[in-house]
Structures are given as structure tokens and as C-alpha cells.
Amino acid sequence: MKLGILKTDAVRPEWVPDFGEYPDMFIALLSRLDPTLEFRVYDVQEGIYPQDIDEVDAYLITGSKSSVYDSDPWIARLKEFVRTLHARKKKLLGICFGHQLVAEALGGKTEKSPKGWGVGIHRHSFQRLPAWHDQGSAAFAILVSHQDQVVAPAAGAEVLAGSEFCENAVCQLGDHILTFQGHPEFVPGYAQAVMQFRRERIGEEAYTQGMASLAEDSEAERVGRWMLAFLRS
């Protein structure tokens, strides 16, 4: 399987030697789970897209510090590409910004949440276990880093999982689009670096809770296995 990663942000240069760029994080996670996977990276912020939509089998939209309701031309173009993928029923995964952008592109809505920042390990719970799920516990722990939230999912999408803080945390549209608010690609060290850098913006209460939550393990590989199961379903 060839997975096209749509890169929507750059990691701060001082962090790249330790953590890589965002596509590197996904490649590290998913390659551990399936070494046969192939990857292509498209920097959509720089206007780089596949010449042929079918040159890969599926796509993944990364996280970003941008907001999907910003007026940047590259965001508008990416929304158009999502609509094309949807029309073609091409497999698509969206993570954080990607989760929110899919909603915005396909009739939903994303807003800055009055609940403030979600950082560190959060627990989301499935309301229904889809076929690609491992059929284990409905709850799972995942690293998050967001202030924006999907307040209305894409038209026709099913909300599969959420929490009191983030009601629309996992959404599926048909058999071809699956999105997560959380970050399975993050490692604790990167989450810690981001929280420390954004401490003032996040606020002391959320920062303290987020840092303390890193004592818990993220179920990143479990989520990664769901993603791969979905792509192959």
C-alpha cells in the first residue's frame, strides 16, 4: 500500500533533529506496524500535490498550527482536494487539523472551543465499535494538542468517539474517510516540548494537567492499527 501524506505544517527547526517533521512521525509509527508500507509526502502548504490522484492508494492529512477557518489560499485549495477525494471515494485519514479540515470541507464546522486548550493525554470513548476496531475496550488514551474543535461533523459523517471535553473526536464518512482529533503520531517528548513552548498560551491549569498526564501511556500503536485496518477495509 502507498500512503500519500499531505503535509500541512513544519516542525520548529530546533525540534527536527529529535522528532523529525510531521510526515516522519507518521512514517515511524505506521512502518513499525507494517514495514511493507510505502509513503509519498506532498507539502500542500507549498502547493505540492500529486500529479495523478491515483499515484497512491490512500491519503493522510497531518496536524497544523493553522486553523481550518483561516483564509490562507493553501487551506482553500486543500479543502477542494478533500472534496475531490470524497467524490472519488478515495481512502482518507485526517489527524487533528486534518480531522477539522475534512469537517469544514464537507459541510461541517470547526470553531475555537470555549473550553480552551486540550493538551497531553486525553481519553476518548467509542459509542459504537466499527468493523476496523479491535473490539477491545471502547476507551482509549491518545495525545492531543488543540484549541479548535469540530462542532458539527461533515454532512453524512458518523461520530464514533468522543469525550466530555471533545464530543466529536473520531468521525467516519462512508467507508472511505476516517478522522481523529488526537495525535497517534506524537511521542511524549514532542508533546512535552510543544506544551512548554505554548505554556503561556495554553494557560497554567491546562499546562499542569497536560504535563502530569504524560505519566500515562498513549495507545498510539493501537490507534495506528485501527488506521491501517480502516485503509485496508
Side-chain angles (χ1 to χ4, degrees):
M1 178 186 292
K2 292 181 181 177
L3 180 62
I5 299 179
L6 304 174
K7 178 176 180 282
T8 62
D9 201 1
V11 171
R12 292 185 64 81
E14 64 268 30
W15 297 340
V16 173
D18 290 327
F19 306 110
E21 293 283 357
Y22 292 117
D24 300 320
M25 299 179 192
F26 283 104
I27 292 169
L29 170 65
L30 298 176
S31 293
R32 286 199 304 274
L33 302 173
D34 183 354
T36 70
L37 287 173
E38 298 178 40
F39 301 90
R40 294 192 184 178
V41 176
Y42 306 98
D43 191 338
V44 296
Q45 271 196 313
E46 298 298 324
I48 300 171
Y49 281 83
Q51 292 184 343
D52 181 345
I53 200 171
D54 292 322
E55 68 185 37
V56 295
D57 300 303
Y59 289 90
L60 182 153
I61 305 173
T62 71
S64 176
K65 62 179 172 290
S66 298
S67 290
V68 300
Y69 45 77
D70 289 344
S71 59
D72 307 55
W74 72 267
I75 295 176
R77 184 178 177 187
L78 181 56
K79 288 177 183 175
E80 276 299 320
F81 189 64
V82 165
R83 287 190 275 268
T84 300
L85 293 174
H86 176 45
R88 292 280 297 272
K89 290 187 164 47
K90 195 78 175 176
K91 290 277 190 176
L92 173 63
L93 297 168
I95 303 297
C96 195
F97 173 88
H99 166 75
Q100 298 163 2
L101 184 123
V102 166
E104 280 274 321
L106 300 178
K109 189 170 183 59
T110 296
E111 293 179 348
K112 194 177 299 295
S113 174
K115 299 175 185 177
W117 280 87
V119 292
I121 294 281
H122 278 212
R123 295 191 69 82
H124 298 148
S125 188
F126 280 84
Q127 301 149 15
R128 177 183 73 81
L129 301 186
W132 46 260
H133 193 278
D134 54 30
Q135 308 305 302
S137 171
F140 67 101
I142 191 167
L143 284 163
V144 303
S145 182
H146 67 104
Q147 188 176 17
D148 290 341
Q149 290 199 32
V150 172
V151 295
E158 180 183 4
V159 178
L160 293 175
S163 67
E164 186 176 344
F165 180 81
C166 180
E167 290 87 353
N168 304 312
V170 181
C171 297
Q172 182 173 338
L173 180 54
D175 295 322
H176 58 290
I177 298 178
L178 176 64
T179 64
F180 291 84
Q181 180 57 67
H183 284 280
E185 79 282 14
F186 278 13
V187 295
Y190 185 71
Q192 181 177 20
V194 172
M195 281 190 278
Q196 289 171 338
F197 181 76
R198 295 178 175 169
R199 182 172 183 169
E200 190 172 323
R201 218 185 325 164
I202 290 169
E204 200 60 24
E205 183 179 356
Y207 170 81
T208 301
Q209 291 175 353
M211 292 293 283
S213 75
L214 297 182
E216 183 181 357
D217 290 331
S218 166
E219 295 178 76
E221 290 196 355
R222 187 182 185 208
V223 177
R225 285 191 291 270
W226 294 339
M227 291 161 60
L228 294 178
F230 172 79
L231 292 180
R232 293 193 171 95
S233 63

